[in-house]
Amino acid sequence: RLAATASATQVLGPGALLSASLSGSGSRGYLGNPYKATSVIFAAPGGGDGVRDGDLRALLEQRPGRRRQWGADGKLVLQQGSSGAAWHIGLGASGDDWGVRARRAELEWWLPLAGDALFSARLRGYSQQAARFYVPYLVSRQAYRQISIGPDGQFVLTGYDPALLPTHFSSDTRLGAYGVLTAGLGWTARLGRGAQLDVSIDASLQSGRYAWGGNGDGRYADVRYRVIQASLKIDLEPRAGRSP
């Protein structure tokens, strides 16, 4: 895997900072997930839609062996006068040669509090298109397994023909079309010499309704989740003028 990143930062004036970055990477080899399977419905040719009367099986996903990715990000920081509060406004776009195209936007507000504490509130939005080979499930017009009688009168077991399946397919939702809306709060405080406590809570809604350009998965794939995090950082390095 090869990757490269270029970034630049420019001070626009008192209390204003702009940063931007470009990135690109290329990967080659086995890029699938050995634990991801796709639901394949084997149905008789010409028999209905195949969904209700087919033979449901799970086959390991098949991804391309090469992937090129790119990304562009920008952030504008604006400080609010003498209060020390600041707005962080971020925009980004990314894509790859699998057909995934994504956009993101982020708005975050930081407010200094007494005792070197910091409060933050944020809103984030993310939306992407699906990879060209993404499918929630596949319908293949062939039998998964057939039993026939050979010329010698013995039973012959014939499996499905992989050539009748698409070359690449995956039902990994991370490659699907969806969007995510997130709102969160954070708090950081210094507890003493060398100790810092960080607490945050984020609530998110992931839905195909927010997919860039539409055609996202149905309501069955909607996910609501909350993430609560707390971390305690302790600096164990001795301070100047003090013995370890």
Side-chain angles (χ1 to χ4, degrees):
R1 184 174 188 268
L2 296 176
T5 302
S7 60
T9 301
Q10 177 66 48
V11 176
L12 302 179
L17 182 72
L18 178 65
S19 62
S21 65
L22 295 173
S23 62
S25 65
S27 304
R28 189 172 183 177
Y30 178 69
L31 303 180
N33 189 320
Y35 304 104
K36 290 289 185 180
T38 297
S39 296
V40 181
I41 302 172
F42 292 89
D49 62 5
V51 175
R52 289 181 289 270
D53 55 3
D55 183 9
L56 178 63
R57 301 285 175 167
L59 302 182
L60 291 179
E61 67 174 16
Q62 301 295 321
R63 300 189 186 190
R66 179 178 296 177
R67 188 180 190 183
R68 297 184 178 92
Q69 298 171 277
W70 60 266
D73 293 277
K75 176 179 283 190
L76 176 63
V77 180
L78 298 173
Q79 186 173 356
Q80 290 183 275
S82 60
S83 67
W87 289 96
H88 291 214
I89 304 169
L91 296 173
S94 61
D96 62 23
D97 57 358
W98 287 3
V100 178
R101 297 289 186 272
R103 296 175 179 175
R104 70 166 186 87
E106 180 176 358
L107 179 64
E108 192 166 15
W109 183 59
W110 290 85
L111 176 66
L113 302 175
D116 291 331
L118 278 174
F119 169 80
S120 62
R122 53 190 166 270
L123 292 174
R124 296 171 182 159
Y126 174 87
S127 183
Q128 74 172 41
Q129 298 173 336
R132 286 185 293 270
F133 53 87
Y134 170 79
V135 288
Y137 61 88
L138 280 174
V139 176
S140 182
R141 295 296 178 176
Q142 61 174 319
Y144 176 72
R145 187 178 289 126
Q146 296 184 86
I147 299 178
S148 59
I149 299 178
D152 56 357
Q154 299 296 317
F155 289 105
V156 178
L157 183 64
T158 305
Y160 70 92
D161 184 1
L164 298 180
L165 297 175
T167 303
H168 303 121
F169 57 86
S170 174
S171 57
D172 188 338
T173 55
R174 293 172 296 182
L175 297 176
Y178 66 91
V180 183
L181 298 178
T182 301
L185 299 173
W187 179 70
T188 299
R190 297 188 182 277
L191 304 181
R193 294 181 177 177
Q196 178 177 303
L197 176 65
D198 297 314
V199 179
S200 66
I201 178 170
D202 290 275
S204 300
L205 170 60
Q206 177 177 315
S207 175
R209 291 173 292 171
Y210 307 142
W212 176 16
N215 299 320
D217 285 339
R219 297 289 295 273
Y220 64 87
D222 289 1
V223 178
R224 294 177 182 269
Y225 55 94
R226 293 182 178 87
V227 178
I228 300 175
Q229 301 182 83
S231 64
L232 178 62
K233 301 176 184 178
I234 301 176
D235 185 3
L236 301 179
E237 290 292 331
R239 295 178 178 273
R242 294 173 60 93
S243 59

